């Protein structure tokens, strides 16, 4: 049997294969009004197509736990019950196709309030439904970005509560996997990294203090997330910075990722989704096929926490080799699934594996 198409069990949940869809923002929700953050027909069609295409686990885009936690005004949210109802329609359909629906719970922190990428991605103000972003320290993400409001300890506790409430709503919406977004320079990742966190209180300075928010959020989500269902955490394994980078403070490192992975496991996380970068806009990143897989492999080798690998994984044999060599437990595809919603079915044919195909599409097999 192909390793890529072996079922994978986490807690009591069986995911039918190891081809998983990474969260990818669609910037397609209403920005204001009663439908702000509500999933639309676009989101349904986008996620449903990957389910009919055989993807085992489908993670939604970064879904904001509060309005100011959106990356853009057009992002999905899960801070009210109207949003829950729209998401339930999507999760029901995904399950009907034999796939597993998952949700990424997120807060964008200092990288919030920006335009969609095809509109330039620059920060937007009130005239375009924007707001003042927040962060661990009053440090803008980049030139031309606003100085974020430095969160107080009371406000941090409020954000932890928002994650707990969002997880409770995610259960109501029918999701079977929850992922806490701690990667790509968004709020939790901002707290983790000394590049963006210059606090001197209990949330800054030492590794233990910088990791405090991540662990508090995980604890809050785990309080309300069903014991029988798995919880993921997405991490940027490195900021791709060193102390020798000109004009850059040293950032989060792979060593710290391994250390955090062990802590996350002890707090009820079942799998680490290992990405990298996103917190320093001018970091020098060497990309190539599977360039982030070594980070996942190291976590897997040095801890007992299962991992999923990401990053320019595009070919079936490449994905199969990552699993058979024990470098990861699953692969998450992003842009390749944008290009080809039926990638999983095509990969199964290439690898000689069985996969569910909707009856309506059997003529194409």
């Amino acid at each position: 049997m192909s390793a890529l198409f072996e079922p994978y069990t986490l807690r009591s949940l069986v995911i039918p294969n190891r081809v998983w869809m990474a969260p990818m923002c669609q910037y397609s929700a209403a920005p204001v009004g009663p439908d702000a953050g509500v999933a639309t027909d676009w989101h349904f069609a986008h996620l449903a197509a990957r389910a009919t295409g055989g993807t085992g686990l489908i993670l939604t885009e970064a879904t904001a736990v509060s309005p100011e936690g959106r990356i853009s005004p057009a992002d999905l949210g899960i801070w009210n019950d109207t949003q829950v109802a729209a998401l339930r329609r999507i999760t029901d359909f995904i399950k009907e196709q034999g796939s597993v629906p998952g949700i990424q719970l997120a807060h964008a922190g200092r990288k919030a309030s920006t335009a969609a990428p095809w509109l330039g991605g620059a920060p937007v103000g009130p005239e375009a439904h924007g707001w003042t972003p927040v962060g661990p320290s009053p440090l803008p993400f980049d030139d031309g970005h606003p100085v974020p409001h430095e969160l107080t300890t009371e406000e941090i506790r409020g954000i932890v509560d928002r994650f707990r409430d969002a997880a409770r709503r995610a259960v109501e919406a029918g999701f079977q996997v929850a992922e806490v977004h701690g990667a790509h320079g968004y709020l939790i990742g901002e707290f983790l990294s000394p590049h963006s966190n210059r606090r001197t209180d209990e949330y800054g300075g030492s590794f233990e203090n910088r990791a405090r928010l991540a662990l508090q959020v995980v604890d809050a989500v785990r309080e309300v997330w069903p014991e029988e269902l798995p919880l993921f955490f997405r991490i940027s394994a490195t900021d791709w910075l060193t102390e020798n980078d000109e004009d850059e403070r040293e950032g989060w490192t792979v060593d710290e990722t391994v250390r955090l992975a062990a802590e996350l496991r002890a707090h009820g996380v079942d799998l680490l989704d290992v990405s990298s970068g996103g917190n320093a806009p001018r970091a020098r990143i060497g990309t190539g096929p599977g360039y982030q897989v070594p980070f996942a492999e190291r976590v897997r080798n040095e801890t007992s926490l299962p991992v999923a690998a990401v990053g320019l994984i595009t070919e079936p044999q490449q994905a199969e080799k990552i699993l058979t060599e024990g470098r990861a437990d699953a692969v998450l595809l992003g842009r390749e699934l944008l290009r080809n919603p039926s990638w999983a079915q095509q990969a199964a044919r290439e690898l000689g594996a069985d996969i569910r195909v909707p009856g309506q599409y059997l003529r194409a097999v």
Side-chain angles (χ1 to χ4, degrees), residues 182-184 188-196 206-212 214 233-242 249-261 264 272 274-277 279-280:
H184 302 153
I188 294 174
E190 292 164 19
F191 272 85
L192 290 173
S193 174
H195 174 72
S196 45
S206 66
F207 169 87
E208 291 82 2
N209 285 356
R210 287 182 282 114
R212 192 178 306 279
F233 189 96
R234 189 165 221 196
I235 189 77
S236 280
T238 174
D239 283 340
W240 294 94
L241 295 175
T242 71
R249 183 182 176 116
E250 188 172 6
W252 181 256
T253 67
V254 183
D255 287 344
E256 289 177 306
T257 292
V258 173
R259 184 177 176 184
L260 180 63
L264 291 169
L272 196 66
V274 187
S275 187
S276 71
N279 197 36

Side-chain angles (χ1 to χ4, degrees), residues 19 32 99 116 119 127 141 146 151 159 167 178 201 203 206-207 220 223 242 247 282 310 326-327 341:
V19 180
V32 293
S99 298
L119 298 176
E127 74 287 348
F141 170 66
L151 290 163
I159 287 172
D201 64 1
Y203 289 97
S206 66
F207 169 87
E223 283 176 21
T242 71
D247 298 325
R282 283 174 294 281
V310 303
R327 306 182 74 189

Side-chain angles (χ1 to χ4, degrees), residues 109-178:
R110 67 177 183 166
K111 293 176 72 174
S113 190
T114 58
W118 57 85
L119 298 176
V124 297
E127 74 287 348
H129 311 299
W131 59 91
T132 300
V134 302
S137 302
L139 301 171
F141 170 66
D142 197 3
D143 297 340
H145 283 243
V147 175
H149 164 69
E150 183 176 18
L151 290 163
T152 66
T153 54
E154 183 177 355
E155 288 168 335
I156 292 170
R157 287 192 290 269
I159 287 172
V160 173
D161 290 339
R162 290 282 197 157
F163 272 94
R164 181 187 293 105
D165 292 343
R168 185 181 295 111
R169 288 192 174 95
V171 176
E172 296 171 4
F175 289 101
Q176 295 173 293
V177 171

Side-chain angles (χ1 to χ4, degrees), residues 94-107:
I94 290 173
K95 292 174 188 175
E96 287 172 4
Q97 307 314 306
S99 298
V100 172
I103 186 168
Q104 186 183 70
L105 304 175
H107 193 299

